[in-house]
Amino acid sequence: MRLNKTSQLAIRFAVEGDLKGAALIWNERASLLQQSDGLQPLTPERILDWQRQARSWLTNDDCGFFVGEANKRISGYMAIMIREGPAGLGPAVVGKVIDMAVDLHVSHPGLSSALLDEARKWLKARDIAYLTVDVPAHYPVEEAFWRAQGARTRFHQNWLALS
């Protein structure tokens, strides 16, 4: 566990007991994003569904699941997964942010960067040099964060409703 002494924020691997708090943070982010992009409606069982999926990350060796904790409360999380890179292109293996959210009610300066630093260390220890992330198209705050970290747009992902 690393402690950010300026804000008393600890970054550590997630454990089962963190899922309830992380799910609430996830739900708030999902609800916020859904207001500007209705392509993916929220389901009635979304929190339980998210917890089931997040529980699988805890035991997956190809997944790094980190939480930020302040005052014994989960303030944010980041889950990354080791994935194959695009066929025929390098690198052969990349890290991918599969989920990330921070508490929007309490400010913890540097929380997102601290989570990313922990993910970066975890990936580098596995000789992985790139991290990919899908940034919501209608959420400029997240886009600005990733650009400030040096991320560059490589693909634009589009969704086509088939009904």
Side-chain angles (χ1 to χ4, degrees):
M1 178 182 341
R2 290 191 22 222
L3 187 64
N4 178 336
K5 298 201 187 310
T6 59
S7 65
Q8 298 302 306
L9 179 68
I11 304 296
R12 60 175 174 74
F13 280 100
V15 296
E16 176 76 26
D18 299 327
L19 296 182
K20 183 177 179 182
L24 295 176
I25 293 170
W26 170 84
N27 185 56
E28 232 179 293
R29 177 179 180 265
S31 297
L32 178 70
L33 291 173
Q34 210 275 329
Q35 291 174 19
S36 62
D37 182 359
L39 276 176
Q40 290 185 290
L42 300 174
T43 64
E45 297 294 314
R46 64 187 172 274
I47 292 176
L48 291 175
D49 290 343
W50 184 89
Q51 287 175 320
R52 272 191 288 276
Q53 182 169 32
R55 191 169 288 112
S56 74
W57 302 336
L58 296 172
T59 57
N60 186 332
D61 291 339
D62 288 337
C63 185
F65 185 9
F66 309 97
V67 294
E69 181 181 49
N71 302 319
K72 299 184 180 188
R73 196 164 164 248
I74 300 303
S75 303
Y77 66 89
M78 177 184 282
I80 57 175
M81 186 78 71
I82 297 172
R83 297 268 171 92
E84 290 183 10
L89 303 172
V93 179
V94 298
K96 178 172 180 55
V97 176
I98 54 174
D99 205 352
M100 178 181 180
V102 297
D103 187 341
L104 300 174
H105 297 287
V106 181
S107 175
H108 292 287
L111 171 59
S112 296
S113 295
L115 289 165
L116 178 58
D117 288 345
E118 204 63 27
R120 185 180 280 128
K121 289 177 192 170
W122 188 82
L123 289 168
K124 283 186 176 184
R126 288 152 181 78
D127 295 321
I128 297 172
Y130 288 93
L131 178 66
T132 67
V133 59
D134 294 330
V135 181
H138 303 288
Y139 199 29
V141 172
E142 285 188 23
E143 186 174 1
F145 169 76
W146 288 107
R147 283 192 178 164
Q149 303 306 310
R152 297 181 322 175
T153 300
R154 187 151 177 242
F155 295 99
H156 293 281
Q157 184 186 61
N158 295 288
W159 284 52
L160 175 63
L162 299 177
S163 55

